[in-house]
Amino acid sequence: DIQMTQSPSSLSASVGDRVTITCRASQNINSHLNWYQQRPGKAPKVLINVASSLQSGVPSRFSGSGSGTEFTLTISSLQPEDSATYYCQQTFSTLNFGQGTRLEIK
Amino acid sequence: QVQLQESGPGLVKPSETLSLTCTVSGGPISDFYWSWIRQPPGKGLEWIGHIYYNGSTNYNPSLKSRVSMSVDTSKKQFSLKLNSVTAADTAVYYCARINFTRYCYGGTCYIGARWFDPWGHGTLVTVSS
């Protein structure tokens, strides 16, 4: 099984800050990596697929990078509505998720 | 716009079978994979498995012995059954469509990227006597 590990597990940042979340795979998954945003009480929403491809309608302040075993999700200028939990997901083999990163706005 | 709606009992007794159905509206069920994901209260997401519209399945190895999925293309529905449930199976259960890209090489076609979109709103299933 491929294990996905996100860091940090939680963080707090201010509006306008640049925020980076990291996801590490236990083995090479090429670019088979998605990022999701889940607001409280809501279903997850896909932000990025194939490591860096921004989904239609997702604000351009979100970006993804990486390949192989290390990936990052970056929010260039944090907005109040970005308060949520973010999950990475590998789709190289089974479709499992990282444990999540809770992002709080100060 | 494609929409998914989960339905089924919100309360299941321990050792019994959890059964849920997801209804697809606003788009076709054919030519897509369809998935179930769950989220225990306050915890992260767990992929349960998925089914292709033709009925082929792929399950999470950790749940494989207890899971079965089926699809009814005429009703545009797919279903989940999880047997021998315990309190650890208490969760919000989501259904989702798996979008994918396909590439062909040397006369054989392969699945490339896959991502879950859209998702249903989720339904809470509690396992309790």
Side-chain angles (χ1 to χ4, degrees), chain A residues 26-63:
Chain A
S26 60
Q27 64 187 72
N28 183 4
I29 59 169
N30 296 326
S31 295
H32 294 275
L33 192 284
N34 302 327
W35 289 99
Y36 297 85
Q37 176 193 64
Q38 185 179 32
R39 295 190 173 111
K42 299 293 187 182
K45 167 190 166 185
V46 63
L47 299 175
I48 287 168
N49 71 356
V50 207
S52 60
S53 179
L54 198 66
Q55 287 289 287
S56 174
V58 174
S60 59
R61 62 181 180 274
F62 291 92
S63 64

Side-chain angles (χ1 to χ4, degrees), chain B residues 3-87:
Chain B
Q3 293 185 316
L4 282 66
Q5 180 66 59
E6 303 90 350
S7 59
L11 181 63
V12 181
K13 289 183 168 54
S15 79
E16 296 191 344
T17 297
L18 179 159
S19 296
L20 295 174
T21 296
C22 183
T23 301
V24 180
S25 60
I29 195 168
S30 296
D31 295 327
F32 284 98
Y33 292 85
W34 304 91
S35 186
W36 289 97
I37 307 99
R38 70 181 183 178
Q39 184 171 38
K43 296 188 178 181
L45 301 167
E46 180 179 33
W47 169 71
I48 300 171
H50 60 256
I51 185 166
Y52 196 38
Y53 77 100
N54 67 1
S56 65
T57 55
N58 193 353
Y59 302 140
N60 186 325
S62 69
L63 297 169
K64 190 173 184 177
S65 63
R66 298 194 291 131
V67 171
S68 66
M69 295 181 185
S70 59
V71 61
D72 185 334
T73 55
S74 66
K75 294 182 179 178
K76 293 179 68 177
Q77 293 178 333
F78 59 103
S79 298
L80 167 70
K81 290 189 186 299
L82 180 66
N83 58 38
S84 304
V85 297
T86 69

Side-chain angles (χ1 to χ4, degrees), chain A residues 1-2 5-6 11-12 16 18-19 21 23 32 36 39 47 57 59 62 72-74 81 83 85 87 93 97 102 106:
Chain A
D1 273 11
I2 299 175
T5 304
Q6 291 182 230
L11 76 151
S12 181
R18 181 182 181 88
V19 169
I21 298 169
C23 179
H32 294 275
Y36 297 85
R39 295 190 173 111
L47 299 175
F62 291 92
T72 59
L73 172 69
T74 300
E81 61 267 30
S83 177
T85 301
Y87 294 93
S93 57
F97 296 86
R102 181 171 294 183
K106 287 180 185 173

